[in-house]
Amino acid sequence: MTKPKADWRNPGPAPTGGPLIDTFGRVGGDLRISVIDKCNLRCTYCMPAEGLPWLEKEELLTVDEIDRLARLFHSLGVRDFKITGGEPTVRRELPEIVARVCALEGVDVSITTNGLLLDRLARPLREAGLRRITVSCDSLMRHRYAEMTRRDAFDKVTAGLEAAREAGFDPIKINCVVIRGSNEDEAVDFARLAREGGYDVRFIEYMPLDAERTWEREKVVPAAETLAAVSAAYDLAPVVQDAPQPATSFRFADGAPGVLGFIPSVTKPFCDSCNRMRTTAEGAFRVCLFALEETDLRTALRSGADDAELERLVREALWHKWPGHKINHPDFVRPDRSMSMIGG
């Protein structure tokens, strides 16, 4: 970790200009915007079978409020935006939200979805300006997919992937959370899918963000182990990356299409170079996925705060960003919220 320019625990006032920066010199350039907390799946590593208490409609940020925050962060140098949930496609206004964010100059916008509604939304989202999409899918076996998501919806996912391809999305990424005892034996199958379909498949380590708090470290499959399994089946060539990325990426050495990424979020966290920030569906600003504190932007928005005041709140929160989430430390403390409530 870069030596902080100030004591992050008591850093004094945040800078009033320049890039969005914390005391370690990390620049916040990536904003994940959650548009809803509801989801039409019940993934075992995320929420209970009966779901969670959902936000009321009036608690969600409106389209105009999301638009205003996106414009604010854009004015502060943010160019990478990802629309998340919950499941973002269950929000009726999603195409309009996407269109507004995509209208900002020089931005790279994507969404993360479970794909169940892409058969009818892929084209409207593409027409709204979206070019990149990520579909979460943790098993290529219908029965196992149903076990992990508590929904028999695998056919909807495959239909959604096909609809995304037909709509012209490129790249199409597939996120796979690898859990020991559940799906670690499918790594090579996912690699084969990448080769045959030209997908960008990313293997993600299982993180402690489930609402039922049943996460066990023993169920974490190190990314290095997944990489070794895939490398035993295919010759891989590393992808040269211009800047630090969460995923270590590889192409197939024989020139086959597709990219494989391995994200060691638990065993080798990328906190040192993390540039990610998040707004939850009800307008809480989080500077880390595992943050224990949030900054309420919705109250400020609805009480008439101007952009200068919103900027002050954002800069102050980021200035206090901690070194990292401490998953591998004995004093690790889980956030109160689960992944669906935070936004991926």
Side-chain angles (χ1 to χ4, degrees), residues 238-307:
V239 175
V240 177
Q241 299 172 150
D242 296 332
Q245 299 289 336
T248 301
S249 297
F250 297 83
R251 294 189 182 276
F252 294 98
D254 63 2
V259 177
L260 303 177
F262 301 82
I263 303 180
S265 42
V266 174
T267 59
K268 292 184 178 180
F270 50 92
C271 302
D272 285 10
S273 59
C274 181
N275 68 343
R276 296 178 176 182
M277 306 170 290
R278 289 170 169 79
T279 55
T280 67
E282 76 275 37
F285 177 57
R286 300 175 64 89
V287 298
C288 174
L289 179 61
F290 289 91
L292 302 178
E293 298 178 351
E294 300 175 333
T295 299
D296 181 5
L297 298 182
R298 184 185 65 190
T299 296
L301 283 166
R302 296 183 180 178
S303 62
D306 60 15
D307 283 358

Side-chain angles (χ1 to χ4, degrees), residues 31-43 45-47 52 54-55 60 66 81-92 94 97-98 110-115 134-136 175 209 277-284 286 289 294 337-344:
L31 181 68
R32 277 108 203 285
I33 302 173
S34 174
V35 298
I36 197 165
D37 60 325
K38 293 180 181 178
C39 187
N40 46 7
L41 293 180
R42 298 291 183 271
C43 296
Y45 57 81
C46 185
M47 67 173 69
L52 294 165
W54 309 126
L55 295 168
L60 297 172
I66 293 172
F81 292 87
K82 182 177 284 292
I83 310 299
T84 72
E87 171 47 44
T89 59
V90 303
R91 178 149 183 178
R92 184 188 58 192
L94 180 63
I97 293 170
V98 167
S110 63
I111 72 166
T112 295
T113 171
N114 59 33
T134 299
V135 176
S136 297
N175 280 352
L209 286 167
M277 306 170 290
R278 289 170 169 79
T279 55
T280 67
E282 76 275 37
R286 300 175 64 89
L289 179 61
E294 300 175 333
R337 299 213 213 208
S338 63
M339 176 68 87
S340 65
M341 300 167 68
I342 295 170

